[in-house]
Amino acid sequence: MPSHYNPEAILKALNIAAFNEMQEASIKANREHQDIILLSGTGSGKTIAFLLPLLERIDPAKKHTQAMVIAPSRELALQIEQVFKNMGTGISVTCCYGGHLRETEENNLRESPLLIVGTPGRIADHIRRGNIRLTGIETLVLDEFDKSLELGFEEEMSFILKSLSNLHKKMMISATEALEIPSFVSMKDVYKLNFLTGEPPAALEVRWVASIDEDKLESLFRLICELGNRSTIVFLNFREAVEKTSQFLKDKGITTVFYHGALDQQSRDLAIAKFRNGTSNVLVTTDLAARGLDIPNIRYIIHYHLPATEESFTHRNGRTARMDASGCAILIVGPGEHLPEFIDPAVAEMKLPEKVEIPEKPKWTTLYISAGKKDKVNKVDIVGFLTNKGQLKKEDIGLIEVKDFLSFVAIRKSKATHTLQLIKNEKLKKIKVKIEVAK
């Protein structure tokens, strides 16, 4: 067993009691077989299930890139990178994705990280530019492989696999059973682990609401009021509808953030940070948020636009009832619409009251700080700065997210004005930084 691979230490670092059945099966199967297909539902712990076997195959004594993970979206790639870092092994990792400076990644790749995580387009670009040393890469993970093909990355995926001429192991991961493997993947001694039950998680409740209005906006507003200030994701099918719906709810007094593929990376990061840290309890989004986002304690999924396929329904619902948590998926059915055929017609209807009250506003707000990892700023620095210079107590500081060149930190809304006044001329780690309420 490699010295850096200490299951007990990894469990402790991840703050979990034990690996689940699927993760244990993945570890065993990967030791015994060359290529693995792992099918398991969203929220079941697939990321840990492929990172553990990958970690076993990395040799820290060899100072070159040895493994690669490809994911269909930047959010999922960043999530995988974070889980890997949280394992606390000290193994170097770099995440490559579109939407931010390629030069930053080029500098990181010069150090030959032992693991590279990234999206197909950006990794293919780095390979073409000669930024990645390919000869030592022996392990490849294709996460959410079906989604990569669905999003049109087949050409980039084919190019990447042809470029990796020394692969000894491939792992293909999916939450969908209808998985077709293109010839360019060329898997050998394939062993399939199927943990898909075809049933929704036991902790997931499904209900529906009738809307008398075709645009459903008023019904959505009343539904959110009825649900209260619990964490809720509202799924729509179109970007334009996402922004329109979010604005409608804001005008009605609901604190929302919106998220879709046309936003730049900083806007995406900010929207998710605000939702994750409790600055907003409602995220209005397209199916982009149906995969790759790990946000704990989401209570409700609202299908404002009905899902077109059972797969879409499953992935959307995968944001809630994760691991041991419970959750509820609610479909809004408008005039002339019917529950999709893949949904049990016996699911209970939820009646909305005539009178509703606007939920209590969130108690947190998000500060933007114009410094991050590349400025040698970390969470401890930010907490120290806000407690010393900003006179905040530790309980007044919520979730902190440190990106490459910026950071987001949640603080109690009631303390924001006073704190900003105290720190406006102060330096963070001897750096003059811009700090303001994130808009």
Side-chain angles (χ1 to χ4, degrees):
M1 193 69 65
S3 59
H4 66 281
Y5 183 78
N6 183 330
E8 288 73 25
I10 292 170
L11 283 168
K12 188 175 180 182
L14 294 172
N15 196 27
I16 56 179
F19 300 125
N20 64 30
E21 180 191 356
M22 181 264 295
Q23 291 160 350
E24 292 281 11
S26 175
I27 294 168
K28 183 175 185 292
N30 274 284
R31 287 173 181 165
E32 297 172 356
H33 300 274
Q34 181 175 342
D35 293 340
I36 296 290
I37 294 175
L38 172 60
L39 305 176
S40 190
T42 52
S44 60
K46 292 194 300 296
T47 302
I48 294 171
F50 68 72
L51 285 178
L52 290 166
L54 178 149
L55 197 55
E56 282 194 28
R57 297 179 58 81
I58 289 178
D59 181 357
K62 297 176 180 176
K63 304 301 181 184
H64 60 253
T65 303
Q66 298 168 47
M68 180 180 286
V69 180
I70 301 176
S73 70
R74 63 188 75 169
E75 288 76 17
L76 183 52
L78 286 163
Q79 168 67 22
I80 294 164
E81 179 198 33
Q82 193 57 55
V83 173
F84 188 77
K85 286 181 174 178
N86 290 346
M87 287 178 164
T89 63
I91 299 295
S92 56
V93 57
T94 285
C95 193
C96 302
Y97 56 93
H100 73 153
L101 286 174
R102 190 182 61 246
E103 288 76 12
T104 303
E105 295 172 359
E106 287 175 343
N107 290 333
N108 294 338
L109 291 169
R110 285 194 190 102
E111 304 297 322
S112 286
L114 303 192
L115 171 64
I116 294 175
V117 181
T119 53
R122 182 53 70 93
I123 285 182
D125 184 42
H126 280 303
I127 290 174
R128 290 187 180 101
R129 292 172 183 272
N131 295 331
I132 298 175
R133 297 172 196 173
L134 303 171
T135 53
I137 299 176
E138 298 183 350
T139 305
L140 175 67
V141 178
L142 304 172
D143 193 19
E144 298 284 16
F145 180 73
D146 56 308
K147 189 66 176 176
S148 290
L149 294 179
E150 186 184 310
L151 291 173
F153 290 129
E154 185 162 347
E155 188 177 328
E156 287 91 342
M157 303 279 281
S158 177
F159 170 73
I160 293 167
L161 272 105
K162 285 172 184 171
S163 302
L164 299 174
S165 56
N166 293 327
L167 285 178
H168 293 173
K169 172 177 275 296
K170 303 185 190 85
M171 289 182 254
M172 188 177 288
I173 319 296
S174 180
T176 306
E177 198 156 2
L179 186 65
E180 292 186 19
I181 304 172
S183 58
F184 66 77
V185 178
S186 183
M187 297 186 84
K188 300 169 186 174
D189 179 31
V190 181
Y191 186 81
K192 183 184 283 190
L193 287 166
N194 190 345
F195 281 83
L196 293 173
T197 63
E199 299 293 326
L204 178 68
E205 179 185 7
V206 180
R207 305 173 78 182
W208 69 281
V209 167
S211 171
I212 59 171
D213 301 314
E214 206 165 308
D215 70 2
K216 308 185 191 179
L217 286 170
E218 189 63 33
S219 298
L220 174 64
F221 166 67
R222 290 171 57 215
L223 174 57
I224 289 173
C225 290
E226 177 66 7
L227 299 178
N229 57 3
R230 300 290 295 276
S231 186
T232 302
I233 300 183
V234 182
F235 278 105
L236 294 90
N237 293 342
F238 311 105
R239 294 169 178 173
E240 298 77 10
V242 163
E243 297 196 24
K244 174 188 167 189
T245 303
S246 180
Q247 190 60 52
F248 173 85
L249 293 173
K250 280 182 181 175
D251 293 344
K252 287 279 202 172
I254 306 290
T255 305
T256 72
V257 288
F258 65 85
Y259 177 84
H260 58 65
L263 297 175
D264 61 41
Q265 189 62 39
Q266 185 170 320
S267 299
R268 287 192 194 191
D269 289 343
L270 176 57
I272 297 304
K274 283 184 171 182
F275 184 57
R276 196 182 268 133
N277 69 28
T279 294
S280 171
N281 293 323
V282 179
L283 173 68
V284 184
T285 181
T286 59
D287 277 7
L288 178 67
R291 306 196 195 201
L293 297 182
D294 189 8
I295 304 171
N297 305 317
I298 295 171
R299 184 68 183 86
Y300 296 106
I301 299 296
I302 298 176
H303 300 268
Y304 179 85
H305 287 149
L306 298 180
T309 64
E310 186 171 9
E311 182 184 356
S312 170
F313 184 62
T314 300
H315 283 296
R316 288 177 175 187
N317 294 341
R319 300 309 97 205
T320 189
R322 295 172 76 83
M323 305 304 274
D324 296 324
S326 60
C328 182
I330 304 168
L331 301 102
I332 303 180
V333 181
E337 289 186 324
H338 305 281
L339 282 174
E341 59 182 18
F342 48 80
I343 293 171
D344 184 349
V347 298
E349 181 181 1
M350 182 178 176
K351 298 285 188 182
L352 297 177
E354 286 300 317
K355 290 186 178 180
V356 292
E357 290 185 14
I358 293 173
E360 185 182 0
K361 299 283 189 196
K363 293 181 169 59
W364 299 94
T365 192
T366 300
L367 296 185
Y368 161 84
I369 301 175
S370 64
K373 295 173 190 172
K374 299 298 181 183
D375 306 294
K376 303 291 190 266
V377 168
N378 60 35
K379 293 180 183 180
V380 175
D381 299 325
I382 292 171
V383 170
F385 177 76
L386 291 175
T387 52
N388 295 328
K389 305 292 187 182
Q391 297 181 8
L392 289 176
K393 296 177 181 176
K394 285 197 176 174
E395 58 265 31
D396 296 325
I397 302 170
L399 190 67
I400 299 172
E401 297 191 30
V402 182
K403 308 293 184 183
D404 281 348
F405 297 104
L406 56 91
S407 303
F408 300 120
V409 52
I411 67 168
R412 292 204 185 275
K413 195 184 291 185
S414 58
K415 304 290 179 75
T417 302
H418 181 58
T419 297
L420 285 171
Q421 191 64 29
L422 289 172
I423 62 178
K424 65 179 181 180
N425 295 317
E426 300 289 348
K427 291 182 178 179
L428 173 59
K429 289 195 79 172
K430 300 181 181 178
I431 308 169
K432 180 64 178 171
V433 295
K434 181 179 181 181
I435 304 179
E436 61 188 8
V437 174
K439 300 297 184 189

